[in-house]
Amino acid sequence: MRGDRRQQESMFSYVSPEARVPQRHPLRPIREMMDRVLAALDDDFQALYSHTGRPSIPPEYLLRATLLQILYLIRSERLLVEQIDYNLLFRWFIGLSMDDAVWDHSSFTKNRDRLLEADIARRFFAEVVEQARGAALLSDEHFSVDGTLIQAWASMKRFRPKDGSGSGPGPGRNGERDFRGEKRSNATHASETDPEARSYRKGDAHPAILCYQSHLLMENRNGLIVDHELTQASGTAERDAAATMVSRLAGQHRVTVGADKGYDTAEFVAHLRCLEAIPHVAQNTRNRRSAIDGRTTRHPGYTISQRIRKRIEETFGWGKMIGPLRQVKVRGVKKVNHLCLLTYAAYNLVRMRNLAGAVP
């Protein structure tokens, strides 16, 4: 028997968003982990806001919504707010009821500065790492480091001399600019759109782009990220950031640090050894002598580190293909670092969910 075709919507509903989400939905374990992380940050949130005045959007809502934006490839905060309004799954994950009004998209911009001042993204990332440590998912002995370029939200057409000379792009929405015969460098030029971005290229076969450098420290047991640094792009930034992250490792025992050929310099290797870290760095013997000799390469652990360190590329790939890091839509070191920390925290949460066997 054919059912009746009804156009009139029901006025009342007695089903909660919780009942609409399947028990084995992959967001359920992530939501449970986020509940514990945000509960640990409650005192930090309390210190951000005045005890008087009009209540604002809870920062927990904004962080949950940002995580959804990262996981579901939503390209803008305007579209994110639109989806929260009608998507029951998003409402459930954030903690909104069916009748709760959704905030304006500008609330993200207004509240981001407050979160930046308190470095909430760093605290959020650290709590995710602590949760992984409590679940015995982290190695405290074997690590890997690497870096990648993150394209800035700026155009090379606006990379102009700092003294104001030179011509800008031609008229029109996407005007042309002729760079022929012009010598450009970070010492003499700066981006008008994002002054903190730097012009850099990976090699002779790659074009120069305005970018930042993201540096990761990965533990080798399960490939989880335990530390992150964002720097302006330069030829020494990778080694400097790696030394900084290794120096922050807790404990008094020796650790191993795997890295690619770009880290094979005498200064960096000596610095790691001063930090009680064994440098499992790939040898660079192209027209030069490597700082890593047979005393290091003869051990089986060196071969294992060289094999496992490549897993860090999976994180970079996830951050750029699934996450928003291929070309960030925020400007400045602080804001880009804030976005990177939340993206890598989201990556860790997904990895932890899979390691726990929560998804069939």
mmCIF file of all heavy atoms in Angstrom, residues 238-273:
data_model
loop_
_atom_site.group_PDB
_atom_site.id
_atom_site.type_symbol
_atom_site.label_atom_id
_atom_site.label_comp_id
_atom_site.label_asym_id
_atom_site.label_seq_id
_atom_site.Cartn_x
_atom_site.Cartn_y
_atom_site.Cartn_z
ATOM 1 N N GLU A 238 64.395 24.505 10.060
ATOM 2 C CA GLU A 238 64.074 23.124 10.405
ATOM 3 C C GLU A 238 64.962 22.609 11.533
ATOM 4 O O GLU A 238 64.482 22.001 12.492
ATOM 5 C CB GLU A 238 64.204 22.225 9.167
ATOM 6 C CG GLU A 238 63.061 22.355 8.181
ATOM 7 C CD GLU A 238 63.085 21.242 7.143
ATOM 8 O OE1 GLU A 238 64.170 20.677 6.909
ATOM 9 O OE2 GLU A 238 62.013 20.940 6.584
ATOM 10 N N ARG A 239 66.253 22.847 11.435
ATOM 11 C CA ARG A 239 67.176 22.351 12.463
ATOM 12 C C ARG A 239 67.008 23.107 13.776
ATOM 13 O O ARG A 239 67.069 22.507 14.856
ATOM 14 C CB ARG A 239 68.613 22.453 11.942
ATOM 15 C CG ARG A 239 68.883 21.558 10.737
ATOM 16 C CD ARG A 239 70.336 21.569 10.329
ATOM 17 N NE ARG A 239 70.760 22.863 9.795
ATOM 18 C CZ ARG A 239 70.602 23.234 8.522
ATOM 19 N NH1 ARG A 239 70.018 22.401 7.665
ATOM 20 N NH2 ARG A 239 71.034 24.401 8.101
ATOM 21 N N ASP A 240 66.780 24.406 13.700
ATOM 22 C CA ASP A 240 66.585 25.186 14.925
ATOM 23 C C ASP A 240 65.325 24.747 15.660
ATOM 24 O O ASP A 240 65.321 24.590 16.892
ATOM 25 C CB ASP A 240 66.499 26.679 14.587
ATOM 26 C CG ASP A 240 67.805 27.224 14.028
ATOM 27 O OD1 ASP A 240 68.853 26.580 14.243
ATOM 28 O OD2 ASP A 240 67.777 28.284 13.367
ATOM 29 N N ALA A 241 64.233 24.552 14.907
ATOM 30 C CA ALA A 241 62.979 24.140 15.534
ATOM 31 C C ALA A 241 63.089 22.724 16.095
ATOM 32 O O ALA A 241 62.542 22.425 17.164
ATOM 33 C CB ALA A 241 61.840 24.210 14.521
ATOM 34 N N ALA A 242 63.783 21.835 15.383
ATOM 35 C CA ALA A 242 63.958 20.466 15.870
ATOM 36 C C ALA A 242 64.715 20.456 17.191
ATOM 37 O O ALA A 242 64.344 19.736 18.129
ATOM 38 C CB ALA A 242 64.693 19.623 14.834
ATOM 39 N N ALA A 243 65.780 21.250 17.288
ATOM 40 C CA ALA A 243 66.542 21.318 18.536
ATOM 41 C C ALA A 243 65.679 21.848 19.677
ATOM 42 O O ALA A 243 65.755 21.367 20.817
ATOM 43 C CB ALA A 243 67.768 22.201 18.341
ATOM 44 N N THR A 244 64.824 22.829 19.377
ATOM 45 C CA THR A 244 63.935 23.375 20.407
ATOM 46 C C THR A 244 62.948 22.324 20.900
ATOM 47 O O THR A 244 62.715 22.184 22.113
ATOM 48 C CB THR A 244 63.169 24.592 19.848
ATOM 49 O OG1 THR A 244 64.100 25.602 19.464
ATOM 50 C CG2 THR A 244 62.220 25.156 20.879
ATOM 51 N N MET A 245 62.356 21.563 19.985
ATOM 52 C CA MET A 245 61.375 20.557 20.380
ATOM 53 C C MET A 245 62.021 19.410 21.158
ATOM 54 O O MET A 245 61.442 18.916 22.131
ATOM 55 C CB MET A 245 60.639 20.034 19.144
ATOM 56 C CG MET A 245 59.743 21.063 18.479
ATOM 57 S SD MET A 245 58.726 20.402 17.125
ATOM 58 C CE MET A 245 59.990 20.026 15.900
ATOM 59 N N VAL A 246 63.205 18.987 20.739
ATOM 60 C CA VAL A 246 63.893 17.910 21.457
ATOM 61 C C VAL A 246 64.251 18.361 22.868
ATOM 62 O O VAL A 246 64.167 17.584 23.827
ATOM 63 C CB VAL A 246 65.146 17.461 20.683
ATOM 64 C CG1 VAL A 246 65.973 16.477 21.504
ATOM 65 C CG2 VAL A 246 64.749 16.822 19.363
ATOM 66 N N SER A 247 64.620 19.632 23.026
ATOM 67 C CA SER A 247 64.985 20.133 24.352
ATOM 68 C C SER A 247 63.799 20.159 25.305
ATOM 69 O O SER A 247 63.984 20.184 26.520
ATOM 70 C CB SER A 247 65.573 21.542 24.229
ATOM 71 O OG SER A 247 64.598 22.476 23.802
ATOM 72 N N ARG A 248 62.566 20.147 24.766
ATOM 73 C CA ARG A 248 61.372 20.175 25.616
ATOM 74 C C ARG A 248 60.909 18.786 26.029
ATOM 75 O O ARG A 248 59.926 18.672 26.783
ATOM 76 C CB ARG A 248 60.229 20.904 24.896
ATOM 77 C CG ARG A 248 60.447 22.392 24.728
ATOM 78 C CD ARG A 248 59.134 23.114 24.487
ATOM 79 N NE ARG A 248 58.567 22.806 23.191
ATOM 80 C CZ ARG A 248 58.464 23.682 22.175
ATOM 81 N NH1 ARG A 248 58.939 24.906 22.321
ATOM 82 N NH2 ARG A 248 57.897 23.327 21.045
ATOM 83 N N LEU A 249 61.556 17.734 25.554
ATOM 84 C CA LEU A 249 61.147 16.389 25.930
ATOM 85 C C LEU A 249 61.381 16.172 27.425
ATOM 86 O O LEU A 249 62.425 16.531 27.962
ATOM 87 C CB LEU A 249 61.924 15.343 25.134
ATOM 88 C CG LEU A 249 61.550 15.210 23.652
ATOM 89 C CD1 LEU A 249 62.508 14.264 22.951
ATOM 90 C CD2 LEU A 249 60.117 14.727 23.501
ATOM 91 N N ALA A 250 60.393 15.583 28.074
ATOM 92 C CA ALA A 250 60.483 15.342 29.514
ATOM 93 C C ALA A 250 61.335 14.102 29.782
ATOM 94 O O ALA A 250 61.441 13.195 28.952
ATOM 95 C CB ALA A 250 59.090 15.164 30.105
ATOM 96 N N GLY A 251 61.933 14.055 30.966
ATOM 97 C CA GLY A 251 62.712 12.892 31.380
ATOM 98 C C GLY A 251 64.203 13.129 31.296
ATOM 99 O O GLY A 251 64.679 14.056 30.637
ATOM 100 N N GLN A 252 64.941 12.271 31.979
ATOM 101 C CA GLN A 252 66.396 12.372 32.028
ATOM 102 C C GLN A 252 67.089 11.256 31.230
ATOM 103 O O GLN A 252 68.306 11.187 31.218
ATOM 104 C CB GLN A 252 66.868 12.305 33.497
ATOM 105 C CG GLN A 252 66.282 13.388 34.380
ATOM 106 C CD GLN A 252 66.684 14.785 33.939
ATOM 107 O OE1 GLN A 252 67.818 14.993 33.502
ATOM 108 N NE2 GLN A 252 65.779 15.733 34.056
ATOM 109 N N HIS A 253 66.308 10.379 30.598
ATOM 110 C CA HIS A 253 66.889 9.265 29.862
ATOM 111 C C HIS A 253 67.234 9.703 28.435
ATOM 112 O O HIS A 253 66.752 10.712 27.931
ATOM 113 C CB HIS A 253 65.892 8.103 29.826
ATOM 114 C CG HIS A 253 64.576 8.476 29.208
ATOM 115 N ND1 HIS A 253 63.618 9.185 29.882
ATOM 116 C CD2 HIS A 253 64.066 8.243 27.964
ATOM 117 C CE1 HIS A 253 62.562 9.378 29.096
ATOM 118 N NE2 HIS A 253 62.816 8.809 27.921
ATOM 119 N N ARG A 254 68.065 8.918 27.769
ATOM 120 C CA ARG A 254 68.465 9.213 26.393
ATOM 121 C C ARG A 254 67.364 8.805 25.423
ATOM 122 O O ARG A 254 66.649 7.828 25.644
ATOM 123 C CB ARG A 254 69.770 8.497 26.053
ATOM 124 C CG ARG A 254 70.937 8.832 26.960
ATOM 125 C CD ARG A 254 72.254 8.393 26.358
ATOM 126 N NE ARG A 254 72.624 9.254 25.236
ATOM 127 C CZ ARG A 254 73.742 9.093 24.524
ATOM 128 N NH1 ARG A 254 74.570 8.088 24.798
ATOM 129 N NH2 ARG A 254 74.032 9.910 23.534
ATOM 130 N N VAL A 255 67.273 9.555 24.340
ATOM 131 C CA VAL A 255 66.263 9.284 23.319
ATOM 132 C C VAL A 255 66.949 9.246 21.959
ATOM 133 O O VAL A 255 68.071 9.731 21.790
ATOM 134 C CB VAL A 255 65.154 10.363 23.323
ATOM 135 C CG1 VAL A 255 64.448 10.405 24.662
ATOM 136 C CG2 VAL A 255 65.729 11.734 22.961
ATOM 137 N N THR A 256 66.271 8.663 20.976
ATOM 138 C CA THR A 256 66.753 8.690 19.602
ATOM 139 C C THR A 256 65.880 9.647 18.797
ATOM 140 O O THR A 256 64.669 9.746 19.041
ATOM 141 C CB THR A 256 66.723 7.300 18.957
ATOM 142 O OG1 THR A 256 65.353 6.862 18.831
ATOM 143 C CG2 THR A 256 67.495 6.301 19.792
ATOM 144 N N VAL A 257 66.490 10.333 17.845
ATOM 145 C CA VAL A 257 65.771 11.297 17.010
ATOM 146 C C VAL A 257 66.111 11.011 15.548
ATOM 147 O O VAL A 257 67.245 11.215 15.108
ATOM 148 C CB VAL A 257 66.147 12.746 17.361
ATOM 149 C CG1 VAL A 257 65.388 13.720 16.453
ATOM 150 C CG2 VAL A 257 65.846 13.040 18.827
ATOM 151 N N GLY A 258 65.129 10.517 14.799
ATOM 152 C CA GLY A 258 65.316 10.256 13.378
ATOM 153 C C GLY A 258 65.026 11.494 12.547
ATOM 154 O O GLY A 258 64.151 12.298 12.898
ATOM 155 N N ALA A 259 65.752 11.670 11.458
ATOM 156 C CA ALA A 259 65.568 12.835 10.598
ATOM 157 C C ALA A 259 66.130 12.541 9.210
ATOM 158 O O ALA A 259 66.889 11.578 9.019
ATOM 159 C CB ALA A 259 66.255 14.068 11.196
ATOM 160 N N ASP A 260 65.775 13.378 8.242
ATOM 161 C CA ASP A 260 66.256 13.167 6.868
ATOM 162 C C ASP A 260 67.603 13.860 6.653
ATOM 163 O O ASP A 260 68.203 14.410 7.588
ATOM 164 C CB ASP A 260 65.208 13.640 5.858
ATOM 165 C CG ASP A 260 64.889 15.125 6.004
ATOM 166 O OD1 ASP A 260 65.763 15.895 6.453
ATOM 167 O OD2 ASP A 260 63.756 15.526 5.659
ATOM 168 N N LYS A 261 68.064 13.875 5.413
ATOM 169 C CA LYS A 261 69.397 14.380 5.094
ATOM 170 C C LYS A 261 69.550 15.870 5.359
ATOM 171 O O LYS A 261 70.667 16.352 5.552
ATOM 172 C CB LYS A 261 69.725 14.093 3.631
ATOM 173 C CG LYS A 261 69.870 12.622 3.290
ATOM 174 C CD LYS A 261 70.211 12.430 1.824
ATOM 175 C CE LYS A 261 70.362 10.959 1.476
ATOM 176 N NZ LYS A 261 70.693 10.770 0.039
ATOM 177 N N GLY A 262 68.453 16.599 5.364
ATOM 178 C CA GLY A 262 68.541 18.030 5.592
ATOM 179 C C GLY A 262 69.048 18.398 6.979
ATOM 180 O O GLY A 262 69.472 19.535 7.205
ATOM 181 N N TYR A 263 69.010 17.438 7.898
ATOM 182 C CA TYR A 263 69.459 17.681 9.265
ATOM 183 C C TYR A 263 70.900 17.214 9.494
ATOM 184 O O TYR A 263 71.394 17.298 10.619
ATOM 185 C CB TYR A 263 68.533 16.967 10.248
ATOM 186 C CG TYR A 263 67.113 17.475 10.241
ATOM 187 C CD1 TYR A 263 66.184 17.018 9.310
ATOM 188 C CD2 TYR A 263 66.686 18.419 11.177
ATOM 189 C CE1 TYR A 263 64.877 17.483 9.302
ATOM 190 C CE2 TYR A 263 65.384 18.885 11.176
ATOM 191 C CZ TYR A 263 64.487 18.420 10.236
ATOM 192 O OH TYR A 263 63.194 18.891 10.223
ATOM 193 N N ASP A 264 71.549 16.724 8.451
ATOM 194 C CA ASP A 264 72.898 16.187 8.592
ATOM 195 C C ASP A 264 73.930 17.315 8.523
ATOM 196 O O ASP A 264 74.582 17.541 7.505
ATOM 197 C CB ASP A 264 73.162 15.146 7.494
ATOM 198 C CG ASP A 264 74.520 14.474 7.656
ATOM 199 O OD1 ASP A 264 75.159 14.667 8.710
ATOM 200 O OD2 ASP A 264 74.946 13.761 6.728
ATOM 201 N N THR A 265 74.063 18.034 9.627
ATOM 202 C CA THR A 265 75.108 19.049 9.771
ATOM 203 C C THR A 265 75.829 18.808 11.086
ATOM 204 O O THR A 265 75.231 18.312 12.055
ATOM 205 C CB THR A 265 74.525 20.476 9.758
ATOM 206 O OG1 THR A 265 73.711 20.662 10.913
ATOM 207 C CG2 THR A 265 73.708 20.729 8.500
ATOM 208 N N ALA A 266 77.093 19.159 11.132
ATOM 209 C CA ALA A 266 77.886 18.923 12.337
ATOM 210 C C ALA A 266 77.322 19.674 13.537
ATOM 211 O O ALA A 266 77.300 19.151 14.655
ATOM 212 C CB ALA A 266 79.339 19.343 12.081
ATOM 213 N N GLU A 267 76.844 20.897 13.312
ATOM 214 C CA GLU A 267 76.315 21.703 14.415
ATOM 215 C C GLU A 267 75.057 21.078 15.018
ATOM 216 O O GLU A 267 74.914 20.978 16.239
ATOM 217 C CB GLU A 267 76.017 23.115 13.928
ATOM 218 C CG GLU A 267 75.508 24.044 15.018
ATOM 219 C CD GLU A 267 75.202 25.430 14.484
ATOM 220 O OE1 GLU A 267 75.359 25.648 13.258
ATOM 221 O OE2 GLU A 267 74.811 26.296 15.285
ATOM 222 N N PHE A 268 74.134 20.638 14.147
ATOM 223 C CA PHE A 268 72.888 20.059 14.646
ATOM 224 C C PHE A 268 73.135 18.728 15.353
ATOM 225 O O PHE A 268 72.574 18.468 16.425
ATOM 226 C CB PHE A 268 71.903 19.867 13.488
ATOM 227 C CG PHE A 268 70.610 19.212 13.887
ATOM 228 C CD1 PHE A 268 69.665 19.906 14.622
ATOM 229 C CD2 PHE A 268 70.338 17.882 13.545
ATOM 230 C CE1 PHE A 268 68.471 19.310 15.005
ATOM 231 C CE2 PHE A 268 69.154 17.289 13.917
ATOM 232 C CZ PHE A 268 68.216 17.997 14.652
ATOM 233 N N VAL A 269 73.966 17.877 14.779
ATOM 234 C CA VAL A 269 74.272 16.584 15.390
ATOM 235 C C VAL A 269 74.933 16.782 16.757
ATOM 236 O O VAL A 269 74.596 16.103 17.738
ATOM 237 C CB VAL A 269 75.167 15.751 14.453
ATOM 238 C CG1 VAL A 269 75.695 14.516 15.170
ATOM 239 C CG2 VAL A 269 74.388 15.339 13.201
ATOM 240 N N ALA A 270 75.861 17.731 16.858
ATOM 241 C CA ALA A 270 76.512 18.006 18.142
ATOM 242 C C ALA A 270 75.512 18.546 19.160
ATOM 243 O O ALA A 270 75.581 18.204 20.352
ATOM 244 C CB ALA A 270 77.650 18.997 17.938
ATOM 245 N N HIS A 271 74.576 19.366 18.698
ATOM 246 C CA HIS A 271 73.556 19.913 19.599
ATOM 247 C C HIS A 271 72.673 18.810 20.152
ATOM 248 O O HIS A 271 72.345 18.794 21.342
ATOM 249 C CB HIS A 271 72.719 20.952 18.857
ATOM 250 C CG HIS A 271 71.895 21.800 19.767
ATOM 251 N ND1 HIS A 271 71.245 22.932 19.346
ATOM 252 C CD2 HIS A 271 71.610 21.697 21.094
ATOM 253 C CE1 HIS A 271 70.597 23.473 20.355
ATOM 254 N NE2 HIS A 271 70.795 22.739 21.416
ATOM 255 N N LEU A 272 72.267 17.863 19.304
ATOM 256 C CA LEU A 272 71.448 16.748 19.788
ATOM 257 C C LEU A 272 72.191 15.942 20.841
ATOM 258 O O LEU A 272 71.613 15.543 21.861
ATOM 259 C CB LEU A 272 71.042 15.845 18.626
ATOM 260 C CG LEU A 272 69.942 16.340 17.673
ATOM 261 C CD1 LEU A 272 69.555 15.231 16.706
ATOM 262 C CD2 LEU A 272 68.713 16.816 18.437
ATOM 263 N N ARG A 273 73.456 15.694 20.618
ATOM 264 C CA ARG A 273 74.225 14.909 21.582
ATOM 265 C C ARG A 273 74.369 15.650 22.908
ATOM 266 O O ARG A 273 74.385 15.022 23.972
ATOM 267 C CB ARG A 273 75.578 14.563 20.986
ATOM 268 C CG ARG A 273 75.470 13.477 19.905
ATOM 269 C CD ARG A 273 76.766 13.225 19.179
ATOM 270 N NE ARG A 273 76.622 12.097 18.251
ATOM 271 C CZ ARG A 273 77.338 11.932 17.161
ATOM 272 N NH1 ARG A 273 78.272 12.830 16.839
ATOM 273 N NH2 ARG A 273 77.151 10.881 16.376
#
